Amino acid sequence: MRDLRVVLITGLSGSGKTTAIKALEDMGFYCVDNLPIVLFPKFLELCRQSVRGISKVGLVIDIRGEEFMAGAGEVIGELKRKKLGVEVVFLEASDEILVRRYRETRRHHPLAVGVSVREGIRMERERLMVLRNMSDKVIDTSGLNVHQLKETITRFFLMGHPLGKMAITLMSFGYSFGIPYDADIILDVRFLANPFFVDHLKDLTGEEGEVRRYVLGWPETREFITRVRDLIEYLVPLFEKEGKAYLTIAIGCTGGRHRSVVVVNELGAILGKALAREGPLLVIRHRDLEKG
């Protein structure tokens, strides 16, 4: 019977599930939106037996199918226990961002019947908590536009990425714009010398050579990178042993444009070769590079 890779997209209304499933479709996944979860096992069985050669399936489940969600935890848990290659991705965003999106699109929140949109979002968070807790990856889309979310999904589910191998994201961010909620590990580099206070470096970013040389010119920067590299190399096989599919390590400075960008790029360059030999996919993301 054919092996199947199954990606289940779920999360809050307005968080980008439609964009995510379209990205999977563009990568060759056979996608179905809002299939009742009680039908998942039978549907996957039909996909395995399909003469079309279906090997990758993308599914969306959300609050629209609430009447079918009572057994969601049990169904997904059973699929995972059978090691059927099911990966659950939960999309969310801050209340403020979701309210703004509903205001801009003039859409109705599915649970905001006789109550405010914010109250509908609160109820939806509560009802989807079981699925969130079972997810392999939580993606906060608050700071992502449609194109950035599509790129993020594409990177996580590259066709050549081997199933069962962990995908690691190194993310730079600025504390001024909030902590990334989808991070598993957060490291603070605000103790490093700040190029922002150097006149000729202030308006540049960590992607440029002058800023890179300035940040890496301090001994504490080089020691920090060495220690973090050792920590990541120690943790990766342990997380993989526990079956973790995605690991996001976020490194933050004040604005997310200088120190954190340099450190993430340097760690990415150092770790890239070692991780490539072991299998995990390494993704570099600069969340706040264009802000400020």
Side-chain angles (χ1 to χ4, degrees), residues 196-240:
F196 182 82
F197 297 110
V198 179
D199 288 342
H200 69 285
L201 300 179
K202 178 178 180 179
D203 295 327
L204 303 179
T205 74
E207 297 273 44
E208 298 177 72
E210 289 182 77
V211 176
R212 178 180 178 274
R213 287 189 291 272
Y214 177 84
V215 174
L216 295 178
W218 299 85
E220 51 265 40
T221 304
R222 297 193 297 272
E223 182 175 355
F224 176 81
I225 289 173
T226 298
R227 289 175 180 263
V228 174
R229 178 205 65 196
D230 292 343
L231 175 64
I232 295 173
E233 290 180 345
Y234 170 74
L235 290 176
V236 165
L238 298 178
F239 278 131
E240 284 195 311

Side-chain angles (χ1 to χ4, degrees), residues 21-35:
I21 202 69
K22 286 182 178 178
L24 290 179
E25 197 167 39
D26 289 345
M27 286 186 283
F29 281 74
Y30 182 84
C31 297
V32 179
D33 189 1
N34 210 28
L35 180 74

Side-chain angles (χ1 to χ4, degrees), residues 41-108:
K42 182 62 176 178
F43 174 74
L44 297 182
E45 191 68 24
L46 292 173
C47 288
R48 284 190 176 81
Q49 298 172 0
S50 169
V51 295
R52 291 179 53 187
I54 297 174
S55 60
K56 297 178 295 188
V57 175
L59 302 169
V60 171
I61 179 173
D62 57 31
I63 206 68
R64 291 173 297 166
E66 187 176 13
E67 65 271 24
F68 298 107
M69 291 181 63
E74 290 79 2
V75 172
I76 295 173
E78 182 62 22
L79 291 175
K80 288 195 170 196
R81 281 191 292 274
K82 291 181 178 179
K83 300 186 182 302
L84 296 180
V86 178
E87 303 166 79
V88 182
V89 178
F90 191 95
L91 304 184
E92 64 181 12
S94 68
D95 287 3
E96 291 75 15
I97 294 296
L98 291 174
V99 170
R100 184 193 307 164
R101 289 174 182 172
Y102 272 99
R103 185 184 302 122
E104 291 173 349
T105 60
R106 299 183 180 181
R107 294 173 54 222
H108 295 287

Side-chain angles (χ1 to χ4, degrees), residues 163-181:
L163 185 64
K165 289 295 184 179
M166 187 163 59
I168 302 170
T169 297
L170 288 175
M171 177 198 302
S172 69
F173 74 95
Y175 280 92
S176 298
F177 303 102
I179 293 175
Y181 295 109

Side-chain angles (χ1 to χ4, degrees), residues 169-173 175 179-180 183-188 248-252 264:
T169 297
L170 288 175
M171 177 198 302
S172 69
F173 74 95
Y175 280 92
I179 293 175
D184 299 294
I185 298 171
I186 296 178
L187 299 172
D188 188 344
T248 298
I249 302 167
I251 298 176
V264 163

